[in-house]
Amino acid sequence: MNGCARNRRTTGFNMHDLVIRNVEILDGTGAEPFAAEVAVEDGQIVQVGDVAAGRRELDGGGAVLAPGFIDTHAHDDGAFFRHPGMEFKLAQGVTTVVSGNCGFSAIPADPEQDSVAASGGILAGLEGRFTDLDGYFEAVAARAPAINNMMLVGHNTVRSLVMGDARRQPSGTELAAMRGHVRRAMEQGAAGFSSGLIYRPGRYSETDEVVELAREAAAFEALYTTHMRNEGDRLLEAVDEALLIGRESGAHLHISHHKAAGRGNWGKVADSLAKVDAALRAGQPVTLDVYPYTAGSGRMIEYFNLDNPNEELAEVIRIASCPAFREFEGRMLVDIAGEQGWGLADAVRHILTADKGDRTICIHFIIDEADIETNLAYRDMMVGSDGIPDLRGRPHPRLFGTFPRVLGRYVRERRVLSLTEAVRRMTSVAARTFGMQRRGEIKPGYFADLVLFRPAEVIDEATYDDPKREPTGIDAVLVNGEIAYRQGRHTGAGSGRMLRFRR
Ligand code: CU
Ligand code: ZN
């Protein structure tokens, strides 16, 4: 290729599709940054070094060029239909998401059943009459989405499909049917099986059921990812259960949004990580992800017992989106209660029992800042936004800000980890863990998913009050070789692909 560089420059034939110059490359492997040029052809990186002319050239202005970031924890199953431009992820430098988390996934689906309602709206946006992963991928690809999508198959979804909301153990036939759904998703390229054991109906399952289903992922050397049964008072017991499920099933365990919820539990993440360390020493594959915020977010009805609402939790609740009372969006529950003359418990009941009240998404301030740093300092800790892509209310700012926040706040300002290390976790570590072939590094033969950013400036702009602001310091994002985002503008390239585990 180098041999004919001169010829190419003069004749214009066989020029590279795109050349990126004037950048410092952080290649995602953990190697220190180096100056080089990158040539892209047919969506792939073909050369890194001193490269010949391109039909298009991008001057990086001395910024850092890294592999596109991988959001290991997304709920974008429906967003790919409703927002195929995926602006909230793309503007952060995210080029690939892993959807289907916390036990809720677009697939399997029965067109006669409402999986969006069963997920409490987490899957909102789904369209089309697909039933399986192939069908879902085909429907999404037809929308020409801006970024790549990889999928997990969710326990809650599978269980609802087979058993409805039954509060009991599955029969042999039901378990076989559930295993069949998980196996089919794995055959079609899911990266693993996800659970959300805090949510209905997953919370009705015993450990054995989850082990049996995770075995189907293990057969493909894929993952068992989990929103554990408890992230608060019983966090450590829940970690033990997750480790047991990983061991018994043989699946690689991935713990989602690792945290210790509730003031009385702050600091416990260190104990939880010690358990993970012990498992790793014993040879068990375990990985984790975290989001860089002190608040969680989810379907409000899942966190409260309406007979006796937890007032300590109610005190730290903020309403994100609420189809029943749009005027409450963006406000703390305590303020709403005070204004309406309701007690806190009544406020919870009022909102959740209203028509469509069960679709309320809340934000709850339950996490200690120090625990976030403990998590981010932990080896191989990946980053997952856990963003819920409901743009109508005031979503948790993690939807728009997660990756720039890690790079700006935790790398540059707080120095919890180095830039090189943060990028490695957001790229090659995530790609390897989730079986994304030829992604996550800047290397010839790899797909040209790339982000150009300025380390001295990159920062999140989304706040709880103003959560839909795109970050600063992300100059350009390329997805499969196409410029998808440049200087604050979404180009509509639509070059995202559907990714299948290790294919
Ligand atoms: Cu989640
Ligand atoms: Zn979750």
Side-chain angles (χ1 to χ4, degrees):
M1 190 161 296
N2 274 324
C4 45
R6 187 169 302 277
N7 188 33
R8 284 183 180 189
R9 272 193 206 278
T10 50
T11 64
F13 288 114
N14 297 321
M15 291 171 92
H16 298 302
D17 291 342
L18 174 72
V19 166
I20 306 169
R21 301 190 195 279
N22 194 15
V23 291
E24 285 285 309
I25 293 181
L26 260 178
D27 68 6
T29 64
E32 287 310 313
F34 57 95
E37 298 162 343
V38 174
V40 174
E41 283 175 24
D42 292 328
Q44 295 183 20
I45 297 164
V46 292
Q47 199 186 354
V48 180
D50 222 351
V51 312
R55 234 170 278 121
R56 286 176 301 161
E57 301 228 348
L58 191 85
D59 183 339
V64 162
L65 187 72
F69 303 141
I70 296 169
D71 184 352
T72 57
H73 191 104
H75 292 286
D76 291 331
D77 309 49
F80 275 98
F81 295 94
R82 188 172 273 174
H83 309 288
M86 298 296 285
E87 292 82 358
F88 41 87
K89 294 289 166 78
L90 192 57
Q92 295 183 52
V94 169
T95 54
T96 302
V97 295
V98 180
S99 299
N101 273 288
C102 296
F104 296 108
S105 55
I107 50 93
D110 173 353
E112 306 307 319
Q113 287 185 29
D114 188 352
S115 56
V116 175
S119 76
I122 281 181
L123 299 176
L126 293 176
E127 286 169 26
R129 291 183 66 83
F130 55 84
T131 57
D132 58 6
L133 186 64
D134 281 347
Y136 169 75
F137 272 175
E138 202 178 305
V140 173
R143 302 302 176 101
I147 62 174
N148 306 312
N149 187 23
M150 190 153 217
M151 285 289 289
L152 300 164
V153 57
H155 178 217
N156 295 322
T157 299
V158 167
R159 202 180 205 271
S160 306
L161 198 62
V162 172
M163 301 174 60
D165 204 33
R167 273 186 200 224
R168 57 171 172 78
Q169 302 318 298
S171 67
T173 323
E174 287 165 338
L175 185 62
M178 289 196 280
R179 286 188 72 145
H181 282 301
V182 176
R183 188 181 316 128
R184 187 166 170 79
M186 301 310 305
E187 284 165 356
Q188 295 183 349
F193 170 65
S194 80
S195 73
L197 298 176
I198 197 173
Y199 299 118
R200 290 171 298 150
R203 70 161 80 124
Y204 307 138
S205 65
E206 286 178 11
T207 306
D208 285 352
E209 172 185 330
V210 187
V211 169
E212 290 302 313
L213 297 175
R215 281 189 213 282
E216 298 295 341
F220 288 78
E221 296 179 16
L223 289 88
Y224 166 59
T225 75
T226 182
H227 179 152
M228 296 184 292
R229 209 177 281 274
N230 193 295
E231 296 180 320
D233 295 348
R234 298 179 59 80
L235 169 67
L236 299 179
E237 290 88 332
V239 172
D240 285 339
E241 183 192 33
L243 289 167
L244 178 72
I245 293 167
R247 269 196 319 273
E248 294 276 306
S249 68
H252 173 135
L253 169 66
H254 183 86
I255 297 175
S256 299
H257 43 59
H258 184 232
K259 67 170 79 69
R263 189 174 290 272
N265 298 305
W266 290 356
K268 272 192 196 170
V269 292
D271 306 313
S272 174
L273 291 172
K275 284 181 180 287
V276 171
D277 273 330
L280 287 169
R281 276 196 302 275
Q284 182 178 356
V286 188
T287 49
L288 313 92
D289 65 62
V290 69
Y291 51 76
Y293 292 88
T294 57
S297 179
R299 187 186 182 189
M300 185 165 158
I301 201 163
E302 300 288 351
Y303 308 114
F304 289 99
N305 168 2
L306 289 181
D307 295 331
N308 182 22
N310 177 344
E311 297 219 5
E312 188 189 330
L313 179 61
E315 274 169 20
V316 294
I317 292 269
R318 184 182 168 113
I319 305 297
S321 68
C322 184
F325 301 98
R326 290 284 175 205
E327 65 276 23
F328 293 167
E329 292 174 346
R331 305 191 58 205
M332 294 297 293
L333 190 67
V334 277
D335 296 335
I336 296 167
E339 185 184 276
Q340 304 286 332
W342 298 333
L344 258 187
D346 282 340
V348 170
R349 286 193 201 100
H350 230 91
I351 290 172
L352 293 179
T353 58
D355 183 36
K356 292 194 192 146
D358 61 334
R359 298 234 176 152
T360 306
I361 304 283
C362 67
I363 292 167
H364 33 296
F365 295 86
I366 48 169
I367 302 165
D368 187 21
E369 178 66 38
D371 283 355
I372 296 173
E373 298 200 357
T374 302
N375 269 320
L376 283 171
Y378 186 74
R379 61 169 166 191
D380 286 1
M381 178 66 66
M382 285 168 252
V383 178
S385 71
D386 205 6
I388 300 170
D390 184 343
L391 299 183
R392 288 166 304 182
R394 290 205 213 179
H396 189 307
R398 66 194 182 184
L399 181 64
F400 280 79
T402 292
F403 288 78
R405 183 171 174 86
V406 169
L407 297 173
R409 180 177 171 89
Y410 294 98
V411 170
R412 186 179 60 241
E413 293 170 5
R414 305 278 307 159
R415 297 180 186 275
V416 176
L417 69 173
S418 74
L419 179 64
T420 303
E421 174 63 7
V423 166
R424 186 182 74 89
R425 311 245 203 101
M426 292 172 177
T427 59
S428 69
V429 174
R432 197 181 339 109
T433 303
F434 286 85
M436 296 165 188
Q437 298 289 79
R438 295 191 290 144
R439 297 189 193 266
E441 293 180 37
I442 297 184
K443 189 188 270 188
Y446 275 55
F447 292 95
D449 290 342
L450 299 164
V451 54
L452 183 69
F453 69 98
R454 282 170 283 134
E457 283 148 63
V458 65
I459 195 77
D460 57 309
E461 298 286 351
T463 61
Y464 293 97
D465 283 328
D466 194 1
K468 292 181 242 180
R469 293 179 62 191
E470 293 185 351
T472 299
I474 305 285
D475 285 349
V477 186
L478 281 80
V479 179
N480 294 304
E482 300 297 325
I483 299 172
Y485 182 79
R486 176 82 175 128
Q487 312 288 21
R489 202 174 65 81
H490 293 270
T491 67
S495 54
R497 294 195 191 158
M498 302 302 104
L499 308 186
R500 290 177 159 88
F501 186 72
R502 292 194 184 163
R503 289 180 222 166

